[in-house]
Amino acid sequence: MRYITIALAKGRLARKAMEILDRSGISCEEMRDESSRKLIFVNEDLKLKFFLAKASDVPTYVEYGAADLGVVGKDTILEEGRRLYEVMDLGIGKCRMCVAGPASAKIRLQNHELIRVATKYPAIAKEYFNNKKHQTVELIKLNGSVELAPIVGLSEVIVDIVETGTTLRENGLEVLEEICPLSARVVVNQVSMKMEQERISRILEGFRKGLGS
Ligand code: PRP
């Protein structure tokens, strides 16, 4: 029997996903060792393989079938735009994709001015401003600590994830517009969904059971 491979976005999401699977008996002993630098873990009994990847790479592994399943944030799914099936909302890692900035930028947004938007998520920002708001903006791609951009004058606003709102607050910024809610999702390769329907259903059942629903 071939292995079913599951790609997990490394970090908090992977830990939570493993906790959920653990509760339904689908686990991987080896993965508990947090100090390990090992990237791939095998459950021989269930013929499952788990690997940890950078979040933005999870949809890539799943689209190409290197992983049959993946656990990754909706933000990454939207940004990467890969061909895959999004089959379950795990309801963990809940947060929001927002346009944020200083209060003074609100009027510029409302007036549809040509503003600069700094973000780690250019595809999401482009889709939102072009197709939803019909507002022409200049997108500036950053790789982290996006909140800095309006503070140092790189951009008027940012498009970023807001969870508790602490980062914005502590930097004198606020949510100006909400783009969409986010949470962790289970994604499945389109071919695997057909070829391994039964085993994948069982894993999804495991997620459901582990979530207590
Ligand atoms: C994310 C996001 C915000 C912050 C939001 O950053 O980009 O900066 O968390 O959380 P809060 O609303 O609870 O303050 P992350 O920690 O992933 O780091 P990064 O900014 O370097 O990407």
Side-chain angles (χ1 to χ4, degrees):
M1 190 162 54
R2 84 167 187 91
Y3 287 92
I4 293 286
T5 303
I6 304 174
L8 305 170
K10 67 178 167 202
R12 206 156 45 111
L13 229 52
R15 279 194 296 279
K16 284 199 171 176
M18 289 311 291
E19 269 171 41
I20 293 169
L21 287 177
D22 226 13
R23 285 199 285 271
S24 53
I26 304 172
S27 63
C28 198
E29 203 56 47
E30 295 180 285
M31 238 173 156
R32 297 211 182 114
D33 179 7
E34 301 246 344
S35 64
S36 169
R37 297 289 292 166
K38 223 172 144 178
L39 294 172
I40 190 144
F41 307 92
V42 185
N43 180 323
E44 287 298 348
D45 299 335
L46 300 172
K47 282 278 177 275
L48 291 177
K49 271 185 193 162
F50 295 90
F51 70 80
L52 300 173
K54 193 176 161 71
S56 52
D57 293 336
V58 168
T60 312
Y61 284 107
V62 174
E63 176 180 305
Y64 284 93
D68 301 284
L69 275 95
V71 174
V72 67
K74 178 71 177 174
D75 51 325
T76 308
I77 297 172
L78 290 171
E79 185 61 28
E80 296 301 313
R82 294 285 177 179
R83 274 171 304 185
L84 36 78
Y85 295 129
E86 185 188 315
V87 297
M88 196 183 292
D89 185 347
L90 292 175
I92 56 172
K94 280 192 183 169
C95 49
R96 305 173 290 160
M97 187 63 75
C98 295
V99 181
S104 58
K106 194 154 207 164
I107 189 78
R108 309 189 67 178
L109 269 174
Q110 279 166 358
N111 292 343
H112 280 63
E113 286 179 37
L114 177 57
I115 51 171
R116 289 166 301 175
V117 180
T119 185
K120 276 197 290 185
Y121 302 92
I124 294 175
K126 185 169 177 230
E127 155 73 22
Y128 178 71
F129 282 104
N130 285 2
N131 302 338
K132 201 158 172 198
K133 290 208 71 193
H134 306 291
Q135 177 172 3
T136 308
V137 295
E138 187 181 336
L139 289 174
I140 302 171
K141 164 83 201 268
L142 288 179
N143 297 296
S145 302
V146 180
E147 290 84 359
L148 266 175
I151 300 172
V152 300
L154 177 65
S155 70
E156 279 71 40
V157 300
I158 59 174
V159 164
D160 201 16
I161 291 173
V162 179
E163 192 181 351
T164 59
T166 311
T167 312
L168 291 180
R169 219 166 22 247
E170 290 190 356
N171 290 290
L173 306 172
E174 60 186 64
V175 171
L176 302 172
E177 289 173 3
E178 227 177 283
I179 300 179
C180 62
L182 305 168
S183 56
R185 311 291 160 97
V186 180
V187 293
V188 179
N189 171 268
Q190 296 189 337
V191 176
S192 306
M193 191 71 152
K194 292 185 185 74
M195 305 301 283
E196 295 287 354
Q197 206 180 10
E198 219 168 280
R199 294 174 71 200
I200 286 176
S201 296
R202 239 177 288 142
I203 296 166
L204 296 178
E205 202 43 57
F207 274 111
R208 252 176 240 119
K209 206 174 136 203
L211 282 168
S213 55

